[in-house]
């Protein structure tokens, strides 16, 4: 089921998809960069805080007086600290010896001093996030005073004001870069697609020129993108079939009009002559008999056309039964023995085996072939009726001697209303639909009909039934 909210333009769809891919990729890369930079900034701040505490611990071991301790500590803190940082020296349970706490920030309970003989690590740094103060990192350690040998706690806190500003700037840069990357990627993809789809627009423009008058126009395969060349080739093949069918339909309509015009004209002419003056009953009877012949001819044409129409639309469901080819061909030979004798012809049967066919349709096809053979064979020759098995195919053939048929005419013998040169000399004897019906019957069987003619005039029609 199509999604109605998607844009109808293929270029816009692909652009949106590529934009989504760009958002995903640049978002992941930008997020990775942001979190890596954030971790590096915070790690650097922790290392600086640990370095400050370790320097103060070493300083405590070197001083010789309390005043020297205060002076050196204040100097060191002034050189390494920053605005908002906290620095406290104190003995356990006593007032601070030195305290720098401009924001009056209370040290958190997690700031547990490290033992005097253990250096600080990043795991000793703790964090505090009070609502009214900036985020701070704390580190503490115990040092032995060089003045009197007593233990002094060194506590340092660092306000992450500048670091958080750097982190926010990094975040904004990542978001802005992602937005620019997605925008540039989408614009580039859209431009490339619009440029790449130009051959498709040319194909569409060429297709718009095709109409019943211009069925010879074909889509340019060489100008189509590689992904569309197969579709264009299939479309051109479909146009070939449509053009062929349309041409046959036009020719069929013209031939049908010509076929019907002849008997209708004869009917009208004979009726007009009969009505020109008063006739005897015998004369009227003769006119009616002649008209009946023409009407029967029209009926046969209509029946044949109806059968071909049903076969074309596959409305006929055929049932197959085994057919003894030798017995059936012998019956056909006996049936046509009288007309063949009148034409100075002889029928000969050579058949063996069984064919799975629709009995009525197969007899109709054989009847049409034998009628043609009797009608157009050279007098004094033999008509061969052959039945055999060949490579799993049942073959029924009718072979006769007659006027050689050119190869280019053999290909059209099964077209509707088509007559070869030898047939055109006697058009009243044929409607031009007999062989077309034979082909339609073989199509219903899923088989083939083949026609061949040697240079000596040996004409052979084969009905090849599967299985």
């Amino acid at each position: 089921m199509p999604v109605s909210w998607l844009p109808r333009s293929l270029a816009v769809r692909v652009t949106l998809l590529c934009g989504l891919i760009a958002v995903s990729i640049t978002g992941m890369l930008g997020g990775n960069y942001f979190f890596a930079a954030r971790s590096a900034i915070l790690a650097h701040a922790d290392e600086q805080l640990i370095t400050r505490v370790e320097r103060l611990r070493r300083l405590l071991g070197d001083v010789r007086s309390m005043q020297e301790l205060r002076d050196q500590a204040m100097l060191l803190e002034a050189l390494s600290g920053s605005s908002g940082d906290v620095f406290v020296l104190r003995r356990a349970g006593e007032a601070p010896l030195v305290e720098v706490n401009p924001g009056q920030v209370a040290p958190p309970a997690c700031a547990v001093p490290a033992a005097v003989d253990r250096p600080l690590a990043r795991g000793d740094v703790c964090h505090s996030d009070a609502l009214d103060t900036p985020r701070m990192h704390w580190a503490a350690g115990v040092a032995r005073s060089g003045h009197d040998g007593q233990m002094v706690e060194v506590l340092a806190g660092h306000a992450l004001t500048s670091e958080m500003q750097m982190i926010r700037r990094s975040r904004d840069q990542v978001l802005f870069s992602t937005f620019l990357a997605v925008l540039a990627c989408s614009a580039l993809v859209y431009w490339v697609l619009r440029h790449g789809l130009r051959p498709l627009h040319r194909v569409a423009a060429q297709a718009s020129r095709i109409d019943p008058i211009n069925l010879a126009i074909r889509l340019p395969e060489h100008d189509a993108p590689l992904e569309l060349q197969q579709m264009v080739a299939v479309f051109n093949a479909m146009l070939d079939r449509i053009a062929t069918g349309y041409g046959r339909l036009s020719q069929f309509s013209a031939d049908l009009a010509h076929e019907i015009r002849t008997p209708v004209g004869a009917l009208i002419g004979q009726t007009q002559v009969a009505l020109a003056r008063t006739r005897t009953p015998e004369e009227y009877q003769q006119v009616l008999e002649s008209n009946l012949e023409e009407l029967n001819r029209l009926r046969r044409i209509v029946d044949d056309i109806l059968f071909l129409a049903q076969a074309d639309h596959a409305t006929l469901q055929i049932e197959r039964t085994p057919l003894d080819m030798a017995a059936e061909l012998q019956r056909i030979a006996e049936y046509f023995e009288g007309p063949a004798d009148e034409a100075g012809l002889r029928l000969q049967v050579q058949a063996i085996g069984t064919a799975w066919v629709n009995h009525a349709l197969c007899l109709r096809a054989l009847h049409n072939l034998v009628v043609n053979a009797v009608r157009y064979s050279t007098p004094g020759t033999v008509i061969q009726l052959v039945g055999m098995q060949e490579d799993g195919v049942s073959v029924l053939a009718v072979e006769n001697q007659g006027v050689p048929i050119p190869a280019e005419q053999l290909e059209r013998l099964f077209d509707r209303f088509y007559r070869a040169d030898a047939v055109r000399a006697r058009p009243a004897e044929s409607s031009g639909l007999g062989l077309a019906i034979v082909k339609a019957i073989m199509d219903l069987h899923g088989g083939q009909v083949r026609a061949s003619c040697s240079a000596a005039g040996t004409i052979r029609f084969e009905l090849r039934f599967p299985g």
Side-chain angles (χ1 to χ4, degrees):
M1 180 177 179
V3 183
S4 58
W5 54 265
L6 287 175
R8 298 180 63 86
S9 171
L10 181 62
V12 175
R13 288 190 182 189
V14 176
T15 300
L16 291 177
L17 180 60
C18 291
L20 182 61
I21 295 174
V23 167
S24 302
I25 295 176
T26 57
M28 287 189 293
L29 294 177
N32 182 67
Y33 165 77
F34 169 73
F35 286 109
R38 180 176 178 272
S39 299
I41 292 172
L42 295 179
H44 180 69
D46 290 345
E47 293 296 335
Q48 284 188 323
L49 181 61
I50 291 172
T51 300
R52 285 171 55 200
V53 174
E54 291 295 341
R55 286 178 180 176
L56 289 170
R57 293 174 77 182
R58 288 195 299 270
L59 178 63
L60 282 172
D62 295 337
V63 297
R64 293 292 179 261
S65 65
M66 189 59 67
Q67 185 61 40
E68 182 183 0
L69 172 62
R70 291 189 180 92
D71 293 342
Q72 292 294 333
M74 294 299 294
L75 177 61
L76 181 61
E77 183 62 21
L79 291 175
S80 58
S82 61
S83 175
D85 285 0
V86 175
F87 168 59
V88 178
L89 293 179
R90 64 187 178 186
R91 292 191 179 97
E94 298 182 5
L97 301 175
V98 178
E99 182 178 13
V100 178
N101 192 354
Q104 297 301 312
V105 180
C110 63
V112 179
V116 66
D117 56 347
R118 185 174 67 83
L120 291 172
R122 284 201 65 193
D124 298 315
V125 178
C126 68
H127 310 150
S128 65
D129 293 299
L131 295 177
D132 54 346
T133 59
R135 181 177 181 181
M136 296 191 67
H137 284 192
W138 301 84
V142 177
R144 189 182 301 277
S145 174
H147 170 61
D148 53 10
Q150 294 185 1
M151 298 300 174
V152 178
E153 292 181 5
V154 179
L155 176 65
H158 177 61
L160 300 178
T161 305
S162 60
E163 286 80 0
M164 295 307 295
Q165 290 177 352
M166 293 176 61
I167 291 173
R168 283 191 291 270
R169 284 197 297 269
S170 298
R171 178 198 62 196
D172 295 341
Q173 288 176 353
V174 167
L175 293 176
F176 183 69
S177 299
T178 301
F179 173 76
L180 286 182
V182 171
L183 185 63
C185 178
S186 300
L188 183 61
V189 168
Y190 184 78
W191 180 84
V192 170
L193 282 175
R194 295 292 295 180
H195 181 75
L197 291 177
R198 286 180 182 175
L200 186 59
H201 295 318
R202 289 194 288 269
V203 170
Q206 185 77 350
S208 65
R209 298 174 52 201
I210 300 174
D211 54 37
I213 301 177
N214 297 317
L215 282 176
I217 297 176
R218 295 296 178 266
L219 304 184
E221 294 185 31
H222 65 278
D223 197 28
L226 182 62
E227 295 78 7
L228 297 179
Q229 285 183 359
Q230 182 179 3
M231 186 194 74
V232 171
V234 171
F235 191 81
N236 283 337
M238 180 189 69
L239 288 176
D240 291 338
R241 294 192 296 271
I242 292 175
T244 301
Y246 191 81
R248 288 180 177 177
L249 180 61
S250 300
Q251 184 64 38
F252 175 77
S253 300
D255 292 340
L256 178 61
H258 176 74
E259 286 295 325
I260 293 178
R261 184 178 61 183
T262 301
V264 170
L267 287 171
I268 294 174
Q270 291 172 4
T271 303
Q272 288 176 341
V273 171
L275 295 176
R277 62 181 177 85
T278 303
R279 305 283 180 176
T280 65
E282 291 78 12
E283 291 175 326
Y284 283 124
Q285 183 177 1
Q286 184 179 2
V287 171
L288 290 176
E289 290 175 352
S290 178
N291 287 352
L292 182 60
E293 292 181 3
E294 296 297 337
L295 289 172
N296 283 330
R297 182 182 176 190
L298 280 174
R299 180 182 58 80
R300 287 194 297 271
I301 293 175
V302 172
D303 290 343
D304 290 343
I305 292 174
L306 179 61
F307 174 81
L308 290 172
Q310 292 173 334
D312 285 344
H313 291 84
T315 57
L316 292 178
Q317 300 295 327
I318 64 171
E319 296 181 0
R320 305 188 189 194
T321 57
L323 175 74
D324 187 334
M325 292 189 285
E328 198 60 49
L329 290 178
Q330 187 62 45
R331 279 193 290 269
I332 292 175
E334 293 173 358
Y335 179 82
F336 283 96
E337 184 176 1
D341 287 340
E342 293 179 4
L345 303 170
R346 186 165 55 88
L347 285 91
Q348 183 177 354
V349 177
Q350 296 178 353
I352 187 172
T354 302
W356 281 87
V357 299
N358 181 280
H359 191 269
L361 293 179
C362 179
L363 288 184
R364 185 171 185 178
L366 287 172
H367 181 275
N368 288 354
L369 293 180
V370 176
V371 165
N372 278 355
V374 172
R375 184 177 293 162
Y376 302 114
S377 290
T378 302
T381 59
V382 178
I383 299 175
Q384 298 282 346
L385 305 182
V386 181
M388 60 182 177
Q389 300 288 336
E390 183 180 281
D391 298 330
V393 176
S394 301
V395 180
L396 291 168
V398 177
E399 184 176 299
N400 67 288
Q401 297 290 325
V403 179
I405 302 175
E408 62 273 10
Q409 292 188 12
L410 281 175
E411 298 177 356
R412 299 193 58 194
L413 286 179
F414 301 99
D415 292 347
R416 299 172 188 183
F417 296 114
Y418 180 78
R419 295 185 179 90
D421 292 338
V423 183
R424 291 194 182 99
R426 294 178 287 179
E429 298 182 7
S430 171
S431 66
L433 292 175
L435 293 180
I437 290 176
V438 172
K439 184 178 185 306
I441 290 173
M442 295 309 297
D443 289 340
L444 288 173
H445 282 83
Q448 292 180 318
V449 55
R450 297 179 180 177
S452 60
C453 181
S454 67
T458 302
I459 304 168
R460 181 182 176 92
F461 288 90
E462 289 186 357
L463 306 181
R464 305 179 67 86
F465 295 92

